[in-house]
Amino acid sequence: MSKYQFIKHFKEIRKSDVEIVGGKGANLGELTNFGLDVPPGFCVTAEGYNAFIDYAGLNDKVRELMEEIDVEDTAKLAEASNEIRRIINNGEIKPEIEEEIRSAYRALNEEIGIEDAEVAVRSSATAEDLPDASFAGQQDTYLHISGEDELVNHVRRCWASLWTPRAIYYREKQNYDHFKVALAVVVQKMVNSAKSGVMFTANPITSNREEMMINASWGLGEAVVSGTVSPDEYLINKASKEVLEKHLANKKVMVVKDTSGIGTQEVDVASLLGSEAVSGECLSPEELNTLIEAGIKIESLYGSVQDIEWGLDQDTHGLYILQSRPITTLKDDVENMSKENKLEEKLTPLVRGLAASPGIGRGRVKLIKDISEIELIEEGDVLVTGMTNPDMVPAMRKSVAVVTDEGGRTCHAAIVSRELGIPCIVGSTNATEVLKDGMEITVDATRGVVYEGFVLKEEDKKEEAAAGGPGLGVNMDQLRTLTAPPTGTKIYMNLGEPDLIDKYKNLPLDGIGLMRTEFIFTNMIGAHPMHLVKTGQGDMMVEKLAEGISKVASAIYPKPLVVRMSDFRTNEFRGLKGGDEVEPHEENPMIGWRGVSRYISPKYEDGFRLECQAMKKVREDFGLTNVIAMLPFVRTPEELKVVQGIMAEEGLERSKDFKMWIMAEVPSVVFQAEEFAELVDGFSIGSNDLTQLVMGADRDSGILNNMGYFDERNVAVKRAIKILIDACNKKGITISICGQGPSQYPEFAEFLVESGITSMSVNPDTVDYTRRLVASVEQKMILKRLRENK
């Protein structure tokens, strides 16, 4: 019998002990008793938590704070959560509990032969109908904790984490009694993983139980689990142990022990392990085989397919199993499919690339070498080409998916596909060589893989369910809007084609932060503005442009619509009817005659005046005063004043009812930020062009993208952005950003919010995710300030 009342060693725990040690603790005990290599440790039981609350006299205080709480009020929720956690962290621990924790820790030190051993301190929820999987990320984990005092302190912090805002919100939404959940704490020898990851003993994508999938990356496992890094991926046949597929990712970051000695930090792989480790294979053949054997053994012991977290220790080079739990998301009918259906769903990958616009598209390949062949594209084809350009947009609209050899996630094909809602894979390097005309393929642009044949049919059912399904009465976008957390930072959406607004208007958005007029030019007008001026067709351009803008403005009224005036470059404008007669040839159009420099030029001014007349028509004739004008690629305050004069002559003058923004995407705007801020009502940071110009890295270059040069998180780019934000906040004007950075990199979104950005505009597929991400960041900031002001 154990000498402890509030402590259970792993060897004393079975899977049936969930009510005592929580789901995580029960699993670790079961794995230990199976004889697997689990880092040794113990659990502070749920009884310990309840005894602490009773001894410290906190139960009534917590109930009182919870009585009046409105979980939809972010500030009030954060305030209540902070106060509950404060009183728990200041509460006196029952002496018997504290002594048992210290004693168990000393015994663990003796067992492993290390004084003040580093341990991981993890929360483990106890309610059986609220398994840990439902609470992913809601309670806290602390890594690299050393010493008795620190351990006791972090056990109490784990207890307090039962009352984080997200945990309270989740329980409230699930109608679960907050006071029926207790928290056990797992204390486990810290594995200093050189490599780590996740292993599924069934294919989690296809539900095929005859396969297993292993994800691996450098450093500690939280980088893989959190999605911070894209890991190497292996698909294995369990019977033969043969590697069916292997995809090596660019592993740019890794999580390691913090230099302070407590907790973790994120570092660049290239700086710590060398540049070859970024794209190099993480696992050796021997290590991969060890993992395969362990996965098969664990599945056999449990009698069910498992989701396993693992780490290869840097010091011992041994494999440790950190967690194992049943996979609950597989489709039962997959096992019972006929052999014929299994053959139909056999996945044969043909091409891999960067997943640039998510979704799945099935169709026949149409290889397009250049603009002269776009007429070959028919409705339902998959457009395969080296790289798209603006002239190909009509063909892209007909396509079910786009695959390119070149480009990164901010190239033309990627941006346009996301705005059109078309699945797109870029940077494949060899799609035009491997994929043949007429070939039937499935483009999985969520994972960046092109498969032979029409497969992944189950994904269609998932998408139908996500859309709400028949008879629900409300679609998923509307449901997300109803349940979306409030944020102080406005969440806007980028929009391509005006016709798409009906598809996206129910998303939880605060407005449209970027609508580019280029789509209206290419799809509704089709001719160069100066050609229309010369041929007396200017009125047609005004009508069509006003029609496209008003369609969107009326659909979201009174939410704002930020319309970016045309930003065609010379090579793009030349593709419009009559463009070859008026457009010059430039060696580098990306930094050539574009944006405001074009508007104030006598060679284009009349064309720009037509754009102004269209916007005036939308505002005055249609009464849509929610439209904001945004000027692209501004270089100097002087040219900005000139263009504002032209706009004023056309009836568009800044006032309380008419706002004017500029795109902040040229470094000169950074250096003169306050001067520009005096002249406009807002900035929208064009992070794609700004990163390109700060780093001197072509955003369309797949090579530079893959090498990590094109990255908004670069220190120089972040410093430029911070200067822009500070200038706008000082002058009291809007500061927004449009680009994929905030939704692609959570830490970048956190930087923006902490720096004082007032809004973000992201593509439709990430609106909901970005709102929830920003809400989480804002809650953390509120809590931090409350703690600082205690």
Side-chain angles (χ1 to χ4, degrees), residues 129-130 168-178 180:
D129 52 351
L130 285 178
I168 294 171
Y169 186 89
Y170 179 86
R171 292 195 297 268
E172 191 75 19
K173 288 302 178 182
Q174 297 297 319
N175 295 317
Y176 200 87
D177 188 338
H178 296 280
K180 286 185 179 179

Side-chain angles (χ1 to χ4, degrees), residues 423-463:
C424 176
I425 294 174
V426 299
S428 68
T429 71
N430 63 348
T432 56
E433 298 173 10
V434 176
L435 304 178
K436 307 302 181 185
D437 255 325
M439 181 184 287
E440 292 184 344
I441 61 171
T442 297
V443 178
D444 181 354
T446 301
R447 302 173 184 89
V449 186
V450 178
Y451 294 104
E452 182 180 1
F454 294 165
V455 294
L456 300 180
K457 304 291 178 62
E458 281 296 314
E459 299 294 324
D460 292 337
K461 296 178 183 177
K462 293 177 187 176
E463 289 181 12

Side-chain angles (χ1 to χ4, degrees), residues 486-490 758 774 778:
T487 58
T489 308
K490 299 293 185 184
T758 57
V774 168
E778 289 180 345

Side-chain angles (χ1 to χ4, degrees), residues 519-636:
F519 283 95
I520 302 175
F521 275 100
T522 55
N523 298 331
M524 299 177 68
I525 300 171
H528 195 289
M530 294 310 295
H531 172 76
L532 297 175
V533 170
K534 290 179 179 180
T535 57
Q537 301 179 75
D539 289 347
M540 184 271 283
M541 173 175 158
V542 172
E543 289 295 327
K544 290 294 184 183
L545 199 53
E547 179 186 337
I549 295 171
S550 62
K551 180 179 180 66
V552 179
S554 60
I556 65 168
Y557 190 86
K559 295 177 182 177
L561 165 63
V562 181
V563 176
R564 192 188 75 180
M565 313 294 268
S566 65
D567 191 27
F568 280 115
R569 298 184 283 274
T570 49
N571 60 324
E572 298 170 340
F573 249 142
R574 200 177 299 114
L576 296 175
K577 183 179 179 181
D580 55 351
E581 301 171 6
V582 295
E583 288 296 326
H585 175 78
E586 291 184 312
E587 291 297 331
N588 196 341
M590 185 71 79
I591 51 175
W593 188 40
R594 59 180 288 200
V596 171
S597 66
R598 179 180 283 270
Y599 303 162
I600 65 175
S601 167
K603 294 182 178 180
Y604 186 77
E605 182 182 327
D606 288 342
F608 175 65
R609 287 181 181 273
L610 294 178
E611 292 188 52
C612 294
Q613 291 165 25
M615 184 162 288
K616 180 183 179 183
K617 184 178 182 67
V618 170
R619 295 180 54 82
E620 296 187 0
D621 292 4
F622 301 153
L624 296 169
T625 55
N626 56 327
V627 178
I628 296 169
M630 183 155 68
L631 302 172
F633 221 78
V634 183
R635 292 178 169 102
T636 70

Side-chain angles (χ1 to χ4, degrees), residues 6-10 13 20-22 24-26 28-29 41-46 104 124 184-188:
F6 304 106
I7 300 292
K8 288 280 187 184
H9 287 285
F10 288 171
I13 298 170
I20 300 172
V21 294
K24 191 170 288 157
L28 289 169
F42 58 89
C43 292
V44 184
T45 64
S124 183
V185 179
V186 173
V187 179
Q188 186 177 26

Side-chain angles (χ1 to χ4, degrees), residues 506-526:
N506 291 319
L507 286 170
L509 50 87
D510 296 309
I512 303 297
L514 173 66
M515 187 177 90
R516 302 188 294 152
T517 57
E518 287 88 338
F519 283 95
I520 302 175
F521 275 100
T522 55
N523 298 331
M524 299 177 68
I525 300 171

